Structure formats: C-alpha cells, structure tokens
Amino acid sequence: MSKHDVIFVGGGFNALVCASYLARAGKSVLILEQRERVGGLVGTEEFAPGFRASVCFQSAELLHPTVLSDLELDRYGLRLLSGGGTLVPDGDRESRYFAGSGTGIEGILDADRAGFRELASLIEATGKALEPLMTSPLPDIERRGLGDLIELLKAGWRLRKLGDPKGLEVMRMIPMSVKDVLDERISDDATRAALAGPALLGSWLAPRSPGSALGLVYQRPGWIDGLFPGVAHVKGGMGGLAEALEESAVAQGVEIRKGNGVQKIESAGTRVTGVKMCDGDEHTAPTIISGVDPRTTLLDLADASELDPELAFATRGIRSRGSVAIVRYALDSLPTFGSASEKLTGRIQLGADLDTLERAFDPIKYGKVPESPWAEVYLPTTVDRTLAPEGKHVLTAWVQSIPGPMGCGETDIADEVREATTRLLETHSPGFSNSIIHSHVRTPREIERDFGITDGCVYHVEPAMDQMLYLRPMPGWYAYRTPFRGLYLCGAGNHPGSGLSGLAGKNCARQVLSDGKR
Amino acid sequence: MARSYDAIIIGGGHNGLVCAAYLARAGKSVLVLERRDILGGATVTEEIYPGFKYTVCSYVVSLLRPQIISDLNLPKFGLELLPLDGTMTPMPNGDHLMRWHDSADTRLELMRHSAKDAEAYEEFGRLMHHLAMTIRPMLSTIPPDPFSLSPSNIADLARLGGKFAERGEHLYDLAKLMTMSSADLLEQWFETPVLQGTLGASGIIGTFLGPRSPGSAYVMMHHYMGEIDGQFRAWGLPRGGMSGVVNAIADSARYHGAEIRTDAPVSEILIKNGRATGVVLEDGEEIKAPMVASSADPKITFQKLVDQSHLEEDFKASIDRFKIRGSSGKVNLSLDALPEFDCLANIGVVGKDAVPYLSGAISISPDLEYLERAYDDAKYGNFSRHPYMDIVIPSLIDPSMAPAGKHVMSCFVQYAPYDLAKGTWDDQREAFGDAVVNTIAQYAPNFKSTILHRQIMTPLDLERRIGLTNGNIFHGELSLEQLFFLRPVPGYGRFGTPVKDLYLCGSGAHPGGGVMGAPGKLAADIMLEASL
C-alpha cells in the first residue's frame, strides 16, 4: 500500500517524459513497469552474443527541443551521435544519396529543384503552422472558452498569414496521398521514394492512400530542419535515451518499480481509484496515467463494462493494427549498398520507387506477407562501436507492411518475414547473406507479446487522417482524458502521436496539472 | 445583326441546362451551345440499336435537388421518376443478399445472414441519416472563402458554422466519416461480408479509390443523401431514360425564354482585357455576351477553350494538377430475355417471380476483398479482371426502353483506368466487354446466350463521345482536396475564375458530380448576383 499523487501504468518512453514533468511540478509519482527495464520500444538489448541493438525505434532526431532541455537529458547522460542522410540503393544501379537542407541540399536532380523547393517550403509552412497545436494540448472546442477560441483563431490566422494561395495549398495537401503530392512536383523515382518512405513507415497506408501526405508533415515537423534530416543515433543504442529519461525522472523524485505489471485499473463506477498488480499488490492514487496503448488500457486494464455502449463502440473502433517487423542482423562485415561507407550512417531505404512501396503494401490488406517488402535500414555500428565486437556490425531493418495477428490470425510468419528481408537485403547488397552471423525477428505478433501493445502497432494508434488531432485516439477524446474520471492516457496513441517527440507525454502532464487546478 | 445575349452557356448537359433555366427564369436572355446533336451530355438516352434505348452513361437519378425540381417545375415539363426498388447482390456460393425499399423486408432478409447485422443496420442507417442531414446544406450553399475577411463572407462562414453547431454532437462523427475508409467503417459495424461489400461499393463509385482507401466513407454517405432525397421522390429512373430529366430541364429553360442550339461546338472563349466577351464556334461564328459559363470540365475549359496567354502560371499549374483520372466504364446490352440468376433459381424464384428481384439494382460486390482486388488491378493500369458492377435493367421499369419481350441492361463497371499499362483502349475494348459479360455469366448461366447487342464505353469512349476528360464521370475526382471551397482548385471555389465574367457551372465545380444540378443552380445564383 503506498500513497502517491499519480500512478503510471507502464514506464514507456512517453510515460517517463510525462512523469518527469509531473515530478518537476511537485507531484509524487510512482511508475509501475511490468518488464525489468523502462522505455518500452525505446531500448537496447543484446540480441546475439556480443551484439547489442535498439529494440525498435532507431533515432532521436524528432525529440522536441523543449523536452530535451526541460528534462536536462544531456546532464543525465544522453549522447547523440549524428548520422548521415538518406541513401536509396537500387539493385544494380548506382545508389542515390540525399542530405542537407535549403541551398545545401544534396541529391536532388536539377529538373526537380524548383519542385523540391516548393514542396519543402509547403511542408515547412505546414509544420510551422501546426507546431503550436502539437506542443500543447489542443484548444478545447467543446467548452468554447474564450482562451481556447483565441488559440483556434490564432491557428487559423497563422495559416492565413502564409498568404494566398499557400494557406489554401496547405489545406489542399493535408488530405492528399503522398504519391499525388510528390508526383505534382518531383519527377525522379528515387527522390519520391526517399520522401515517401518516412511518411508511410509504421502506418497502415501506401503511397496512394489519401491522407498519407499528412505523414510528410508529422515526420518532418516544424522543429526539424529540411526534408532529409540526419539520423540522430543514441550512444549505446536507444536504451541510452531511456536511461537518461529514467535518471532525470528519478532525480526529480519519481519512484520506479519494475518487474511487476498492472493487472487491473480499479474503479468505483467510472471514477478510478487505484491499480491491482499481477502479484496481488494494490496501489491507490487519485490520478492514474497509462502509457499503455488506448485499446489495451480501456478495454483490458480498465473495467470496460462500465463504459456506456457508445463509448465502448468508439473504443473498439480505434484502429491499432500492426504493420512493421523489426529484423536485426549480427554481421561479419559491413554491407556496401553500392555506396561509400560514410553514406551508410543514416537511413537506408530499400524501395526505390513508389510502385515498389505500393506493391509491397497490397498483401497486408489480405493478411499476407509481401514477397518483396520494402524497408528502412540502419547500420548503427557505423557510428557507435560499443554495439558489436571489433570489426563486426549490426543491421536493423524496419520492414513495412507486415501484418499483425489481427491480419494474419494464428499463422506464424516470422520465418517468412526473415527470408523476405534477407532476400531484399541481398538484392541491394549482393553477398549480404554470407555475412550473417545471427538474425532476430520481431513481427507485430512478437512486438505485441514482448511489449504488450495491441497487435504490435508501434505508434499505438495507427497514424491516419481519421485518427489525428481531435480524433486521436478517438473522436472527442483528444485531451489525454478518458471516459474514466482520473484516468489519463499519455502514450503515442494520443495527440500529436507518431514519432519520438515526447510531446504526448509532455502535453498529458500539462493537461493533468491544469485539470488539477480546476 | 446577330441576336445578343446576356449569357452564353457552353455545354448542354444537365448542369448547363439548369444554369440556363435559372438565368432565363430571372429574365436573362440565354443561349446554350451544345457540341453534339443531342442534349444531355452524360445524362442521355440514345437508341443505339433499333428499338433499344440505352442510358449510355449515367443511369439513375438519385441526387437531383428537390428545390430544382420544384423551382423549374420539372414534372410539368414531363419529368416522371419511376422508382427503382431494392438492390440484389448475388453471391458466388449461390446465395444472395436482397435489400428492399421496405425496411421490414430488408430486416427479415438480413436476419437470414446475421441477426447482429440486422440490428446494427437500422442503427447505422440512423447515423448515416443524421450525418447526411448535417452535410446536406452544403450542397445548396456557395462555399465561403475561408481566408476572406469581407463582411459578407464572414457572415456566410458564421451561418455555416451555426448550421454545424446545431448538430454539434455529430461533428466528430462527421470529421471521422470524411476522413476514414468505408471498409474500416463497415467492419466496425457489420460482420456479413456480402453486406460490407454491397454497402462499401457505393463508396468507390466514380473514384480512383478502393474500399480501404481513406475518403471512401464520405463517398458512401453521398449515396445516403440520395436516399433521403428519395422521400421527395427524387430517386429513380426517369421515364424515357436519362434524357427524360434533361428534356424536362431543357423545356423548362425554353419556356422561360432560353435559346438552345445543338451541333454548335465552341472552339474558343473570347477574352478581352481579362474579361470574357463571348465565344467562337468551330465554324468561325462569333457570339457575344457579357457573361459566359462553361459546363465543360475545368481541364477542357481552361486548357482547350481559353487561350493560355490569358492565364497566370500559378492558375495553369493548379488546373494541371486538378485530378480527373477516369476509373469506370459502361457496358450497355440488348437482351433477348432476362438473365436467370442461380441465386434466385436456388430458392425457386423463376420467370415472372424473379422480376421484383431484378427491378432495382443488381450489385456485383460479394465482399470488400473482391472490391479491393478490383482496385489493385487498376492501380497498376489494368482493368479489373473481376470488376465491381452496378447493374440496372431499365426496360423492367419502363417497357418503352426496349421492344416487347426484350430488354436493355445498363452495367456500370469499375475499375477501368483511363491510362492502361499495356495496349490501348481501342485494342482492349472487347476484352473489357468480355470480362464484364463473363463476370455476370458466373451468376447467371443463360446470360451470354441472351445478348443481342453490346455497347462498350471505355473511359476513352466516354472522353471521345461525351467529352469527359479522361472519362472521369464526375468532371474531377471527389477527393477531399477537391471538395467544397477547394473545388475545382484552391482560390476558385465560388464558381468564378481568374477570367472576369467567365464562370464554371458543371460538375467540376462545387458540390461535384452526379445528376444533382446543384453546380448549375449555384453558378446561376452567383452570375445573377454579379449582373445586378
């Protein structure tokens, strides 16, 4: 029995951020983490003897600068190692490399320069217009308070200030497909693919899906410079970020208990009272914040029978389908991808045109694994020698459009995914297969099993037009609150969602604090 | 001395004629110029083979604005809508799904497939009804410019905001529906694949989207709007086919003094000092008027009829980017006898007893996967090997459409992409027709032997014959970025164009395609306001 102001269910990335902010505001905070380490999908593990690699997320460049400075992550040991831009190998053809921004941009064909500049300024303008809506809870549109109304009008004004026709052009772009947006401006296949890849990664969308252009903005938000930002590797793998967050939180007095999960969020009616642990222990607190995905939180952990039927229906309507497999290789030698080794330190996109990306997506619609998938690949050992033995390397592939259990049912697809991924790597870097010492696969099924996320959906709630802003995670529940009084959500399934910005956690803390004052 | 006019309307399709009728009714002298020898554009009946009258393109009236029907007094001018009752979806396993006009009958039928779905169906209908009612005022509203600070515009914005606020509780649902896919919505509500498929089919009609594409749920709701207006008797097949509606509008326009010329193709819109001053016909005749409205699609209007030197680069780029990919075809057939569907024979419904089942729409949409796979073919430039079809047999509703004992059948077919990956539509036309006939024959074994004639309208044929760019039936895709104040292009959502006194009054303008008449009416409103 313990007495805290706030209890966190799960100690994932956003929960650590949120807890730190609350502790800084003077709250007594307890984090309850099921696993032996905190950070969730932000972590490092030894996946083969002597080889360590990030478990899921690979880079930290989207981290919002305020989170970095407010939580003093430098002071608590976070070391960022800058990697390169985007390399696009294309089988036998020469690889293409994209990096830099503004006039220093590298890799854009002369014919596409004007179109690229227009696109970059459009995305930048949209990012800047949206940034204030992302860095704080959304203005409350139901209460219709004056302050909130002013915030909304300000957002509209910022859009208007972009000028005619740019403001309208921004509105036009948001619901479009990434393919249409790119086709209008860029003629080169590799450039289109390099831009579309990050916008699609982790979603259940393809280049032709309306709304996928929104990913361009969400993955290249206002605080990021240019469309090909360099990868920010974390020293020691992404676990280095989790450790810095943990230390920052603990230094502020946050208590963290590991190795025992929350079994049930207890409530009296729809007012939460505390949590019951897997080992039978109980904790009470007036405020419970869940870093676990919204479906699991509301349907499994909380007492779903207390939800009124319409809310239960809306909750079940949250789409959290897995779509990414993480495949890691321990390698004897560095693959070449037809390029000089200094260009291998960033993201390497295997999928050099939009039709390849589109065709790789088709099978997931029918619950199948693509024979020819596309992937975003990282070689962290090119900048961080602590991860593998001397002379050896680690390669991590985010393989896109791999179904989770909701899509493929009971079928075990891990080996099929491994083989397809190895084939893909072999195509773009001949001889790759011979350098494999060990490989490790997590399809969405294993992500769900190991991290407790519905269907292994890495962004908790699929990024898509109808699950963004006021609709994230479900219509009207954009303010981190839930139908249960005292229960909040702080994970990636909440606004602004996808990408490791830390803003969902930060905004949730702000909402909890301001609700506390009411 | 040629007669002078207050306004010239380019194109004698239903929207051009509606625009003309409203202008004439307000006392303007109006001239309509139609390229073909027959009025109607894509809203037309043609006797292609003696005795067999085809509804060549559009084949049903579902969205014609009730206000237009009454303002223009269309029933007096001969419009009679004959109801189409129900939708039958044959299933590959020999079963079927029948949705009747009567909701109790439909409920009984749905019970046969799933008691849960029978329950949910009514609730779903209520939600769609509410959402359609929320969005319906937009169909008869001139879109405000979201960035203009002029007092009248702010008043318009406030009025629209007020209309939405009245339905506050549904705004989130509406936002969700506007942005989600029909498959996601239907899978949340229903468990019966054939019901999901048949409802989802209305979300893809005329679009280059699959049921899993975000945005398709909005298109689906568009059809519920038709059903609501159906209560005002605006749902069905006009007597005499689609020309029935166009002839009534034309007669109403003439009654109010409009002049209508066929065989009068416009080759250029005359522009002087940035203002439209008239048109030139292909034979060189010049006709002057202080206002010109084009019901041709935006691409034709601004890329073919307007000299490019009159347009700014930005606007030309916007028109160039306007999305107008064609995705559907039409196969019209003359039949010696009615098709005998296995799914009806299996329940002992044959001969005359089958007629009620065939008198509505017949939908080839067994499940969402079928539709999505049809879309996958089209994405890469192939027509669907197993296409989605919406089939109507007009002669069952209006016997005058075919010789006694014979029938005409209209098959709307999707997908048929305008740009083929291999070959041309001129080589592929018959193969496309075969895919359609073979698909139907899988459900109705006698079908092939009953075919007397067939007319295959590929997207290329729709472009050549009717003048629809890329064969797009809506004069431009109904995707979110091309709707409301963004239709057709950003900055020109109010029927005006960069050329003063030149207006758009066709489906390429707000609120878009379908035999609705709204663009023509709203454009006339704007033109009348401007001419005061």
Side-chain angles (χ1 to χ4, degrees), chain B residues 109-179:
Chain B
E109 164 72 357
L110 286 171
M111 290 289 287
R112 210 167 61 75
H113 293 275
S114 156
K116 184 171 160 280
D117 284 2
E119 207 61 51
Y121 186 76
E122 289 173 23
E123 184 66 30
F124 182 74
R126 273 193 290 276
L127 175 70
M128 287 291 128
H129 180 90
H130 280 299
L131 293 176
M133 290 300 275
T134 306
I135 207 154
R136 201 166 65 130
M138 286 169 68
L139 297 184
S140 41
T141 303
I142 293 159
D145 175 347
F147 291 147
S148 162
L149 293 179
S150 86
S152 71
N153 191 65
I154 287 180
D156 282 353
L157 270 177
R159 205 170 310 127
L160 198 67
K163 274 181 193 165
F164 278 129
E166 281 168 24
R167 300 188 163 266
E169 77 273 32
H170 287 299
L171 282 191
Y172 289 121
D173 290 331
L174 186 64
K176 187 121 181 121
L177 194 92
M178 297 284 288
T179 50

Side-chain angles (χ1 to χ4, degrees), chain B residues 163-437:
Chain B
K163 274 181 193 165
F164 278 129
E166 281 168 24
R167 300 188 163 266
E169 77 273 32
H170 287 299
L171 282 191
Y172 289 121
D173 290 331
L174 186 64
K176 187 121 181 121
L177 194 92
M178 297 284 288
T179 50
M180 79 191 301
S181 79
S182 54
D184 287 335
L185 181 68
L186 293 166
E187 285 175 342
Q188 191 185 353
W189 279 86
F190 303 111
E191 61 184 14
T192 307
V194 65
L195 180 61
Q196 293 172 341
T198 305
L199 291 173
S202 51
I204 59 172
I205 290 182
T207 71
F208 211 117
L209 300 175
R212 297 208 175 276
S213 304
S216 50
Y218 169 76
V219 181
M220 191 171 81
M221 189 187 56
H222 231 91
H223 286 73
Y224 271 86
M225 247 164 331
E227 291 185 19
I228 292 172
D229 289 336
Q231 294 164 0
F232 304 100
R233 305 233 172 275
W235 167 263
L237 186 78
R239 187 174 292 284
M242 296 306 288
S243 285
V245 66
V246 156
N247 291 340
I249 300 169
D251 285 345
S252 174
R254 286 192 194 99
Y255 171 82
H256 288 110
E259 185 180 334
I260 299 172
R261 282 172 62 181
T262 52
D263 282 318
V266 171
S267 65
E268 193 184 341
I269 296 168
L270 289 169
I271 295 168
K272 205 170 168 187
N273 300 328
R275 287 175 176 273
T277 58
V279 299
V280 188
L281 300 188
E282 274 177 13
D283 63 10
E285 182 185 350
E286 283 194 16
I287 310 172
K288 299 278 188 184
M291 285 196 292
V292 176
S294 170
S295 65
D297 68 55
K299 292 252 187 196
I300 290 181
T301 304
F302 290 105
Q303 293 182 338
K304 299 217 171 104
L305 300 180
V306 168
D307 187 308
Q308 296 302 291
S309 65
H310 297 296
L311 302 174
E312 304 259 357
E313 289 305 318
D314 276 356
F315 182 77
K316 281 194 273 187
S318 287
I319 291 294
D320 199 44
R321 288 171 178 179
F322 181 62
K323 297 214 305 292
I324 189 163
R325 290 165 289 199
S327 60
S328 54
K330 189 80 197 297
V331 173
N332 300 305
L333 300 162
S334 307
L335 303 179
D336 202 23
L338 284 174
E340 290 163 9
F341 281 87
D342 278 343
C343 64
L344 296 178
N346 289 343
I347 53 169
V349 172
V350 291
K352 275 205 165 12
D353 293 344
V355 169
Y357 288 83
L358 305 178
S359 299
I362 301 162
S363 181
I364 307 297
S365 52
D367 54 45
L368 290 169
E369 181 171 332
Y370 178 94
L371 303 176
E372 188 69 30
R373 286 192 189 275
Y375 170 58
D376 285 349
D377 286 339
K379 283 200 294 191
Y380 308 112
N382 304 304
F383 62 77
S384 308
R385 288 158 293 178
H386 305 288
Y388 158 65
M389 274 182 255
D390 194 31
I391 301 168
V392 172
I393 307 175
S395 49
L396 277 178
I397 300 143
D398 178 356
S400 73
M401 301 290 283
K406 313 258 190 267
H407 289 281
V408 285
M409 180 188 255
S410 148
C411 309
F412 171 83
V413 190
Q414 207 161 311
Y415 299 81
Y418 178 80
D419 289 311
L420 288 174
K422 275 184 239 131
T424 66
W425 272 115
D426 284 323
D427 326 322
Q428 297 292 311
R429 186 176 295 105
E430 294 305 317
F432 174 62
D434 291 343
V436 168
V437 168

Side-chain angles (χ1 to χ4, degrees), chain B residues 85-108:
Chain B
D85 185 12
T87 303
M88 180 179 88
T89 311
M91 293 159 64
N93 67 359
D95 196 356
H96 69 283
L97 174 74
M98 187 71 213
R99 291 188 302 141
W100 299 100
H101 185 68
D102 183 287
S103 58
D105 288 347
T106 302
R107 189 185 162 83
L108 273 179

